Amino acid sequence: MNAPYIPGSGLMAAANRRWVRMAARQPMRIDLDHAIVTFTFDDFPKSAATTGAEALERRGWRGTYYASAGYAGGETHHGAMFDAGDLIRLDAEGHEIACHTYGHLDASAVSDRKLLADVERNARALAAMGLETDVTSFAFAYGEATPAAKLTLGQRFDTLRGIQAGINRGTVDRGLLKSVPLDGGETGIARAIEAAGTLPDHPGWLIYYAHDIQDDPTEWGCTPDQFERVCEAVAASGARVMTMAGAVAHMSKKTGANPGEDPA
């Protein structure tokens, strides 16, 4: 099992990430009178496909699973990863299967040509595993992007999600949507619960992202109990829980604009 890849750090990397957030923006207007919450799972570990899905389904909710097909049937630091059976079951139950590249690539470290080729490889691999539905949502592995990658992938997908912490409100960048992690131990989970608590008074689109959900999680994961507490906070907030694609369809219907258009 390979050690987890760690993207660049330091002042230069931080400056680059700030620049990417400001560049090549693709405006999307979020003006909600009722909050939306989306649960997303990156990579995705089998525990997210089982424990995570079960918690959502008990409440009549569905999530979005960003699949890196290169991990399918294998094991990583997150534990056992999804397989074709997980993929087909989740899709059949109404969950969304989305793209996270085939090889979990750092988009800031490869050419746009290589990135797009890897995205296409992921699509072919998922189809070969039996996925028949369209894949319309993308998340950048490690949250790493470039302006060119945002523009290129923005032509292929309705939304591109990053990992900058926050709730999407007002005019946002559909090429790098904000999200809130479900990790960081009790401190991180408290922040995630607090985010849900702001929704009744300040509606927006709150996107959570998770990885493994197990009793002894990685630093990027959470326990089943922690995940349940976040779900309880979301239920208490009264927010509508939708997949990424479902949320986009709902907001497009509300505004009359396509995902790539800003009606403002």
Side-chain angles (χ1 to χ4, degrees):
M1 182 168 52
N2 294 331
Y5 169 86
I6 305 297
S9 60
L11 292 177
M12 185 64 71
N16 182 66
R17 292 181 185 113
R18 287 194 294 270
W19 170 61
V20 169
R21 291 169 189 163
M22 299 300 296
R25 292 178 63 86
Q26 301 166 63
M28 177 181 182
R29 184 68 186 173
I30 298 179
D31 186 13
L32 299 169
D33 52 18
H34 201 112
I36 295 174
V37 170
T38 301
F39 286 90
T40 69
F41 305 89
D42 290 3
D43 299 351
F44 56 95
K46 186 174 280 287
S47 59
T50 54
T51 304
E54 290 164 7
L56 298 183
E57 290 168 10
R58 281 199 306 272
R59 297 169 169 87
W61 301 344
R62 298 296 184 268
T64 294
Y65 287 78
Y66 289 104
S68 288
Y71 288 150
E75 187 158 332
T76 71
H77 52 287
H78 293 299
M81 302 302 285
F82 78 97
D83 56 30
D86 298 317
L87 192 78
I88 299 308
R89 188 195 72 78
L90 289 170
D91 182 54
E93 290 295 329
H95 298 275
E96 178 187 9
I97 305 301
C99 180
H100 205 41
T101 74
Y102 180 88
H104 204 261
L105 296 186
D106 177 343
S108 70
V110 299
S111 69
D112 293 336
R113 185 175 181 177
K114 182 175 181 178
L115 176 64
L116 190 56
D118 200 68
V119 165
E120 297 299 341
R121 183 183 183 187
N122 201 48
R124 291 193 301 271
L126 294 175
M129 293 170 69
L131 183 68
E132 297 181 349
T133 54
D134 292 336
V135 175
T136 62
S137 305
F138 179 89
F140 286 103
Y142 315 104
E144 297 292 327
T146 66
K150 289 169 64 176
L151 290 175
T152 299
L153 296 179
Q155 296 176 28
R156 194 186 192 288
F157 298 100
D158 290 342
T159 58
L160 313 176
R161 201 215 73 211
I163 61 170
Q164 181 188 7
I167 300 172
N168 299 285
R169 296 183 174 106
T171 299
V172 302
D173 181 8
R174 76 173 182 91
L176 204 61
L177 290 167
K178 295 177 181 179
S179 56
V180 172
L182 299 183
D183 61 21
E186 285 301 316
T187 300
I189 296 303
R191 286 195 293 265
I193 290 172
E194 182 181 9
T198 70
L199 295 176
D201 292 332
H202 303 285
W205 186 12
L206 170 56
I207 303 170
Y208 288 118
Y209 71 93
H211 290 89
D212 53 291
I213 304 175
Q214 50 190 339
D215 291 334
D216 186 19
T218 66
E219 64 180 284
W220 301 277
C222 66
T223 68
D225 175 71
Q226 289 170 337
F227 189 75
E228 285 286 345
R229 282 188 278 137
V230 173
C231 289
E232 290 168 3
V234 170
S237 77
R240 297 185 175 101
V241 176
M242 303 178 182
T243 63
M244 295 293 294
V248 168
H250 174 79
M251 288 184 281
S252 296
K253 183 177 180 180
K254 184 176 185 292
T255 63
N258 292 324
E261 298 175 345
D262 182 2

